[in-house]
Amino acid sequence: MRKLLIPVAMVCLSTFLAVAVVFAQDQTPPGCDLPQALENPIVFTRAPIDLRRTGGYFENFSPLQRFSEVASLTSGFGESDVVTMDRTGAAKVIYNCTASPVNCAAQEAKVSPSGKQIAFSVTTGTLLTELGVTLLRAPIAAKIIIHDIATGLNREVPNQPATGIARSPDWIDDSTLVFSANWQGVYPARPTLNCHQGVYPIDHPAAGKKRGYNAGACVSVDFPGPDKKALHLWRMKIDGTAQKNLTPSEQNAIRPVVLHNPKNKGRIVYSSFQDQEDRCYYQGAGGGGTCLNRWWLMSIAPDGTSPTSFMGAHHSPTLTKGTWGSEEFMVLRAAGEIATGEVCTGNYYRGNHVAGKSSVLCASPPLGDFQVEGCSTPACVKGNVLGGSKSTAKGQAQFIPDTLRYAVSFSVGSDNNQHMDSKGRTMGGMNYLSTMANGHSMATWWQGWCYNQEFSPNNASAPFKGTIASSGGQPLCDLQIVELLVPEVTDPHDRTQVKLLVANPLMHDFDASEIVARPVTHVQPPLDESKGCFLEVADLRATDLAPLSSTFDWRMRAENVGIQANTVKPQDPAFHRDNVRGLSIYEVKLHSTYYPAAKWQAAVNYTGWESVKYLGTQPMMPDGSLKMQVPCETPFYMSATDAAGKWITHDPWLHSLQKGETKTCFGCHEGHSVERRLELGKEPQAVFAGKQAAATMPSLTVPPVPVTFANVAPILTKACAGCHTGFENDALLWSRVFADQEQLDFPWMTKMLSANGADAFAQNPATCVSAPWVCYTLPRPYWTGLAGRYTRQSMLVWVLEGLRSDGYTNTDSATDQDFPANHPPVPVTPAEVKTVVDFIQTGGAR
C-alpha cells in the first residue's frame, strides 16, 4: 500500500498554493475545473496521484505511475480502488486497496445488463519500487468480485483457482461472465529471432563470440516469468459453475467487451496478442518491428464460436489525423461500444504511456458482418482516415474497416513529443470509451503528458519536479473522466467538445461506465456438442489477396507474409489457383514452461510454439471444395498446399473450434474484403451447399511419422557434404543450415544487401556484430536464405528439387538469392525431399 502524502480533503486551490510560483501568471491550479452533475451514477477506477511534498514544492511522479496495459498484464501496475459516484458527485469506494493493509489493485468494473450488479477484478501481490514509484509485482492471484448495488455487499465468485489470474470481467447476461484468465496453465509464443548456437568465424571482428540474438541463447520473450501464463477468454456463471475456455488458441486475450447494440449480435470484442512466427515483422527494412505492439482486435460469438479479426490483423496503411499528423495501427486496446453501435479502441505504443494514453478510432463491422474484415482498396474506405485517397489498387487499404474514423485525433500514442494547443498547453490523450444513456460517449482524458519515457530521471533534458512550465500549466499527468459532446474531439480544452465529469487533481480517475440497465437482446443457439468439429471450404482455389506493391521486391516479402495472409506469390493470383491442391492442418502445443526453464530453452523452432505436429492434408474435390474434420478445442494452424505438400498460402494465426462447431469459408481469405463480399452476394455456407464436398467427405491423408532433425541431418550430409564443407552431420549442422542469419558459416553463400542496397557489413562491421538484423535483409522470420520457412522460397529445397519453385526468376530482383543454375543434381529421393519440406514447414525444431 502506498500512502498519499497530501490530505485528500484539501480543496483544489489551497492544496496547490505552495506551488503557485510554478503556474506563472495563472494562479488556478491544473485540473481544477469544477466537475458537472451526473445524469446517471457511474463506476470507475481510482488511484492517488503520486505527489510528494519536498521543501517548498510538490514533486510529481505521476508520469511514472503505471496502470494495467499491454506491457503490464498481470503485474507492474500500481494500487487502485473501484469507486461509484452518484448524480450529486458523491463518491463511494466499494473496494479499497490504496488505504488498506492488503497490497492490491481493484480495477476494470463493468455493470450487469440489469444495472443491479458490478463485476470487477482484484489483483493481490507484493509491492516493489521502480524509479521511485511503488508498483504491484509478483502477483499472488487476481479474483473476480461481484458487488450488489442494492445491499452494498461484495462477494468473490466461488471456484476460482487460489493462485490463478482472472481479470477484466464483462457480462454476457445477468448470470454469466466473460473474462481473461490464465487458468489453462500455458505460456505465450517466443519471438522467432536468430537462434544460432555457434560462434563468429576467425576472420570476423567478433571472432569467438557467441552468435545470434541474446548472445546466441535465443531466449528473448515478450512475457517472461512464472506469472506470465497466457490469458485466454473464459466464461462462467456468477456462482462459479460452467467454466469454459472460449479461446484455447490465444496466447494473450485481454479485456473482453460484450456488445449490446442489436446489430452486433451480442458478440465479444477483445484485444489479441499475435507475436508468433513473423507477425511483428511488418516493415520493409531489414529489421523487425516492435513485437510487443502486435495487439489487434478480435471478435467471437458468446459461446466462443466463429472467431474473426475485427481490426489490425493486417496492420494498417498510414492513417491521417488531419492537423494532428498521422499514425499506423500500433497497440489496439481498451475496446468499448458506443451508442451508435460502433466499436472504439485506443491506439498507442506498447507500455510507454500511462495506462494506454492514445488516439481513439471507431468502426462498425463492415456490411454488418463480422466475417468481413474491411477494404482492400482505399476507394472503399469512407471518411478521410486515408487522406481522401480514392485509389482502386487492391491491397493498399490492408483490410481496415470501411467506416473507420477518429473519435479522438489530437493524441500522440507513439514515442514522440506530445501535441500542444495554441495556448501552449499539452493536449494529452484519451481512451476507455463507453456509451452513455444520453447517446454521448464517456471517456478517460489523460490530461498532461502521461508519457513515462520522457520524464525518466535518467533524461537530464526533461524537467521532473512540480507542474512544469513546459506543459503549459497542465499537470504532468492526471486521468480524468469526461463526456464527449461531438463525434470527433480535436481539442480537449474546448468545453463545447468535452465536458468534465470527474476531475480530482489528487486522483487518477479512469475507465468509467454508467450504472444503468443495458439489456443484451441476442441469444446464442446452443451447439450440439456430440458432433465433431469440421472445416468447410467452398473453393480452395479462390483467394482475395493482393500485394502491397505491384513491383516485386524480395525484401518486401515480409510485408506480404506478415500482413497480407502469407501467400507465396500474391502478385499473381493465378499462381495460387493453378498450384493449390489441398488443405494441411498442423496441431500446435503452447509452451508448458516459461523462460528460462530448460524445457522452454530446448523448444527452439521457427514457429514460436513449443511444438508443431502435422495432422494431415485434405485433398480438394475437382470443383475446389473440401470438408475435413479437425480436433475440437485444440489450437491448430492451416496451410493451402500444392501436390507435393508445399505451402502455397499459410495462415499462422491459430484456430480452435468449440465442440460441435463447423467453420465455413469461401476460400483462402476469399470474401474477407468489402469489395469481394459485395461481388459474391451470399454467405459461404450458401456457396458450399452446392459443392461436391457437401455430399461426400474424402478421406484425410494419413499423417506420416513426425519428422525430427535426426531424420533430416543424414539427408543433408548425403546431398551436400560431397561438394561443400560445413554440412557434416555434427552438432552444429542444424545451426549452420537453419539459423545462420548472417550467412557466415558457408563462405560461398551470398549475403543479402541492406535495405538501401549497400554492403552494410563492409561499411560498419561493429553495428553488424551488435545488431545483425540491421545489416542483413533476410527472409523473415529469421531463417537463412538457405532454408526459409516457406519451402517454395527455400534455396535448400530448390537445390534438392533441381529448380526454383517460388514462381519468380533470377532476374526478377537484384536483392534476392538466385537459384544456382549450374548446380549439379544431388543424390536424394523424392521421399527425402518430402522429409526436408515437412521438417521446415513444422518449424525446423532443433
Side-chain angles (χ1 to χ4, degrees), residues 442-463:
M442 190 154 42
T444 299
W445 178 27
W446 279 249
Q447 188 181 11
W449 291 82
C450 297
Y451 174 38
N452 54 53
Q453 294 297 305
E454 203 158 351
F455 284 88
S456 166
N458 297 325
N459 185 350
S461 65

Side-chain angles (χ1 to χ4, degrees), residues 792-815:
R792 279 184 169 272
Q793 299 169 345
S794 167
M795 182 185 288
L796 175 61
V797 176
W798 296 350
V799 171
L800 294 178
E801 292 185 323
L803 77 164
R804 178 170 183 160
S805 58
D806 65 345
Y808 298 107
T809 70
N810 288 352
T811 59
D812 283 330
S813 174
T815 61

Side-chain angles (χ1 to χ4, degrees), residues 536-544 576-578 580-583 620-627 640 664-671 676 680 684-685 687-693:
E536 297 176 341
V537 184
D539 189 348
L540 191 65
R541 302 166 300 184
T543 181
D544 185 18
H576 174 99
R577 183 184 65 245
D578 295 343
V580 69
R581 294 294 183 271
L583 187 65
M620 71 180 188
M621 302 292 282
D623 65 355
S625 63
L626 65 82
K627 183 174 183 177
T664 308
C665 66
F666 289 108
C668 288
H669 212 271
E670 169 75 325
R676 182 60 177 149
L680 292 167
Q685 291 84 354
V687 177
F688 180 80
K691 293 288 189 170
Q692 290 175 313

Side-chain angles (χ1 to χ4, degrees), residues 779-839:
R780 286 171 281 187
Y782 284 107
W783 286 59
T784 66
L786 185 65
R789 178 150 163 70
Y790 303 94
T791 50
R792 279 184 169 272
Q793 299 169 345
S794 167
M795 182 185 288
L796 175 61
V797 176
W798 296 350
V799 171
L800 294 178
E801 292 185 323
L803 77 164
R804 178 170 183 160
S805 58
D806 65 345
Y808 298 107
T809 70
N810 288 352
T811 59
D812 283 330
S813 174
T815 61
D816 70 339
Q817 296 186 112
D818 294 339
F819 175 73
N822 297 319
H823 196 285
V826 294
V828 292
T829 66
E832 289 173 328
V833 175
K834 182 67 164 57
T835 297
V836 174
V837 167
D838 289 343
F839 181 72

Side-chain angles (χ1 to χ4, degrees), residues 1-8 47-53 65 79 96-103 127 132 134 506-507:
M1 179 189 68
R2 169 144 185 93
K3 298 293 185 181
L4 182 65
L5 302 186
I6 307 169
V8 176
I49 292 178
D50 197 336
L51 295 170
R52 309 178 194 180
R53 188 154 190 167
Q65 288 184 267
E79 292 190 307
N96 196 324
C97 285
T98 60
S100 77
V102 178
N103 301 326
L127 293 183
T134 304
L506 302 180
M507 293 287 181

Side-chain angles (χ1 to χ4, degrees), residues 89-155:
K92 177 184 178 182
V93 178
I94 63 172
Y95 200 98
N96 196 324
C97 285
T98 60
S100 77
V102 178
N103 301 326
C104 64
Q107 56 193 326
E108 303 164 330
K110 288 292 180 65
V111 180
S112 66
S114 66
K116 297 179 179 180
Q117 299 179 95
I118 299 171
F120 55 91
S121 68
V122 176
T123 303
T124 56
T126 58
L127 293 183
L128 294 176
T129 299
E130 179 180 291
L131 295 177
V133 175
T134 304
L135 303 173
L136 197 68
R137 297 287 189 182
I140 298 170
K143 302 291 184 67
I144 294 176
I145 308 294
I146 304 291
H147 175 80
D148 186 278
I149 295 173
T151 65
L153 298 178
N154 296 325
R155 67 175 183 86

Side-chain angles (χ1 to χ4, degrees), residues 484-506:
L484 308 187
L485 306 177
V486 294
E488 180 181 346
V489 175
T490 58
D491 182 358
H493 298 290
D494 181 353
R495 292 296 166 255
T496 67
Q497 298 188 42
V498 175
K499 177 181 179 180
L500 291 172
L501 299 179
V502 182
N504 188 330
L506 302 180

